Amino acid sequence: MINFQVTPDLERIVHHMLEKNLSRRYQTMRELLTDLDVIRHSMPLVRDAYQTSQIFTSQLSSGAGLQSRMINNRLGKSIAVMSFNNITRNPEDDWIGTGIAETVAADLKKVEGLTIIGRERVYEVLRGWNVDQDHLVDETLATKVGREVGARWLVIGGYQRIADMLRITARFVDVETGEIIKTVKIDGEMKEIFDLQDKIVYELSRDLDLSLRSGELEGIEEKDTDVVEAYECCVKGTIAVYSGSRKGIEESIALFEKAINLDPKYAQAYAGLGYAYVLKGQFLTTPEMFHKGAEYLQKAVELDPLLPDAYSGLGMAFIAMGRIDDAIGALRRALSFAPDDFQTHGALGRAYMIGKGLFREAIAEYEQALRHNPDAGWAAQQLSLCCAYIGDLERGEQAARQAISSQQKFISGQAGVQIIGSFLRLAHIHILLGRFDDAIAECYREIVFLRSSNHGLKDRTNIEANQKLVSACVRQGNLEDAREAYEKLLKDFDARLAEHKDDPFTRYYVACACAQMGDRDKAIEHLRLAVEGRREFNVARARVEIDFESLHNDPEFRKLIT
């Protein structure tokens, strides 16, 4: 069982104390007390324990000053790791560049005091400049990227694979000056790829004057897997899962399963597989997928209790399963490892939004996600929705246009995570502001985009698009177009039900359309089922939903939203 009330730092200390290898345990009480002192100010549980013991306080007084100076000396040390370039251009080896960057970034996260800029943020900056991920990045471009993402240093490089031999060239760039701090060339066999990646981190820490503690060295040296083939499958699975398509999800599941078969103790592969199943469950509206995903993510936590991705994915699974308090606990645990992770902040925002109907709390998390990654279009979408429900239409419109910008990057052929529905967020704001022509235009822009999309939520988004059309056309007085959109919505919804795809979010939008078209009984029935499926969220927004204005005095409606 996972105890989300215990922080990862304390858990790390306990694991260090219980190491099977005696040489890797604390060798003196002073080492233990020093580590405890580092976390006591940020851990109420430990702080209270200290306050009950004057003995510990006196023993730690000298160590606290040293630790504080160490932490202060490391302030402002932020670094971004870019995907390494495939010099030989053999497409079969493209995965290696992502793998190197992922591993180096993960190892650097174990170095106390370093802030690691999310690699997704780097990719999206490059996409905004129409630079492909496999583009050979020179120091000039690296400096521009580093300044854009707020990094002090940048790790760039390339690799060459010839048969079983691998050469990795890593360059450490000072963003402020554009100076190359150091260039490192590392040669070895492909089977030694893990050791080669470790050497990059060692060289970086030495040249940036980061003194690694013994625990950090052990964390870097500790391998997620020793099986190169499993590592390859896991990296390729990670690439596939972010495609956002059903095909990509299926490919990722097969790859993660292969990785686990090759190495049954590969925690990262279990985390990836669990996350993929959670996404599949959302796309197909199949609750059993959420439970299956949660099982794999729990297994990942058992194998590696300090793996942020496992807790983040578990939080998403718990949200889908309705275990909101557990979800919030898991996501907070993930943030304690990686406080700047925009995806986890976004997931926590989702927990507050759809799990508890707390729109202001959700807004705070989505704002955090966008602060760490302004191109996170999906976070901007949800922020716009929450702002609409609390009446902050100005911020809602800004967020919707921010989301549209991200969605259009995909239209223009740039690589990245595909999102849909951004035009509908702006249409919603237009309706609330009485701009019905503008709302209709945005709905049709979304419908046109969806025709060329293979996103897993395409069918659901089409239904919402027609709901927004109904809402705008009725208010505009264009009942003919409203009826056409309404009939299309009902036809698409019946088709989903025939495929055993039913979810409370789509039910809610169908209820809105029925209410607008004057079909009171259907509106009440669909809303009832929507509330049963996701009560807090759908009750909270139904209370302020303008499409339900005609039902405000209806006793059954009032009972549903009480």
Side-chain angles (χ1 to χ4, degrees), residues 9-262:
D9 288 325
L10 181 57
E11 192 168 44
R12 174 183 56 78
I13 289 173
V14 172
H15 280 279
H16 197 172
M17 295 171 63
L18 298 177
E19 275 285 354
K20 293 181 180 180
N21 187 335
L22 295 179
S23 65
R24 298 181 67 179
R25 293 184 188 177
Y26 288 105
Q27 300 301 301
T28 67
M29 182 60 70
R30 173 65 61 186
E31 292 179 10
L32 170 60
L33 294 176
T34 300
D35 274 2
L36 285 173
D37 185 62
V38 172
I39 64 172
R40 71 186 176 105
H41 292 293
S42 60
M43 290 177 56
L45 181 63
V46 174
R47 183 168 62 248
D48 293 343
Y50 268 71
Q51 290 171 348
T52 64
S53 174
Q54 293 299 317
I55 297 176
F56 278 4
T57 303
S58 63
Q59 287 182 329
L60 287 164
S61 59
S62 61
L66 174 61
Q67 289 295 333
S68 297
R69 288 192 298 274
M70 290 173 62
I71 293 172
N72 288 335
N73 288 338
R74 291 180 175 189
L75 289 177
K77 296 189 174 181
S78 57
I79 191 166
V81 183
M82 299 184 66
S83 205
F84 281 50
N85 294 293
N86 184 357
I87 305 300
T88 58
R89 298 289 178 174
N90 183 348
E92 293 183 2
D93 297 330
D94 283 345
W95 67 272
I96 297 176
T98 300
I100 295 172
E102 291 280 357
T103 303
V104 169
D107 283 347
L108 288 172
K109 288 178 181 179
K110 300 171 184 176
V111 179
E112 182 186 341
L114 269 185
T115 298
I116 310 303
I117 307 296
R119 294 200 315 107
E120 297 87 350
R121 174 73 182 116
V122 175
Y123 292 155
E124 280 154 4
V125 167
L126 290 173
R127 286 199 296 271
W129 297 340
N130 291 314
V131 177
D132 294 331
Q133 290 184 23
D134 59 354
H135 179 83
L136 186 59
V137 178
D138 59 17
E139 291 71 45
T140 302
L141 180 58
T143 301
K144 289 177 60 180
V145 171
R147 289 173 179 167
E148 183 73 16
V149 302
R152 182 175 173 183
W153 300 297
L154 206 64
V155 181
I156 62 177
Y159 61 95
Q160 295 169 280
R161 181 181 183 181
I162 301 175
D164 292 330
M165 298 303 296
L166 182 66
R167 163 170 285 188
I168 302 175
T169 302
R171 298 193 299 281
F172 309 142
V173 180
D174 185 303
V175 172
E176 183 177 357
T177 65
E179 176 188 358
I180 299 177
I181 300 172
K182 187 172 184 178
T183 298
V184 178
K185 292 186 178 181
I186 303 170
D187 296 314
E189 295 184 46
M190 190 64 195
K191 64 182 180 181
E192 301 171 316
I193 187 171
F194 308 115
D195 295 326
L196 301 181
Q197 292 168 149
D198 289 347
K199 289 179 182 179
I200 296 174
V201 179
Y202 294 143
E203 293 287 348
L204 176 63
S205 62
R206 186 178 66 181
D207 285 276
L208 298 184
D209 195 25
L210 301 174
S211 52
L212 297 178
R213 299 189 305 171
S214 61
E216 294 169 346
L217 285 169
E218 291 168 3
I220 292 170
E221 291 172 350
E222 187 175 352
K223 306 294 187 298
D224 293 329
T225 180
D226 291 319
V227 184
V228 175
E229 292 82 359
Y231 173 67
E232 178 180 350
C233 289
C234 193
V235 173
K236 289 181 176 178
T238 301
I239 295 171
V241 80
Y242 282 111
S243 69
S245 67
R246 293 182 182 179
K247 180 181 178 182
I249 297 301
E250 293 297 341
E251 288 177 356
S252 71
I253 288 174
L255 286 163
F256 287 129
E257 287 178 340
K258 184 177 179 181
I260 290 170
N261 288 332
L262 290 165

Side-chain angles (χ1 to χ4, degrees), residues 330-387:
L331 293 168
R332 285 177 175 167
R333 173 65 67 89
L335 286 173
S336 68
F337 290 111
D340 298 332
D341 187 271
F342 73 94
Q343 291 179 319
T344 306
H345 278 293
L348 188 54
R350 183 173 174 79
Y352 285 128
M353 182 180 76
I354 73 167
K356 291 184 175 291
L358 299 175
F359 299 126
R360 294 185 186 277
E361 289 80 353
I363 285 171
E365 294 301 326
Y366 288 130
E367 292 282 19
Q368 280 273 50
L370 289 168
R371 183 172 68 84
H372 294 302
N373 184 0
D375 291 322
W378 49 270
Q381 281 184 348
Q382 304 295 54
L383 174 61
S384 177
L385 186 63
C386 290
C387 287

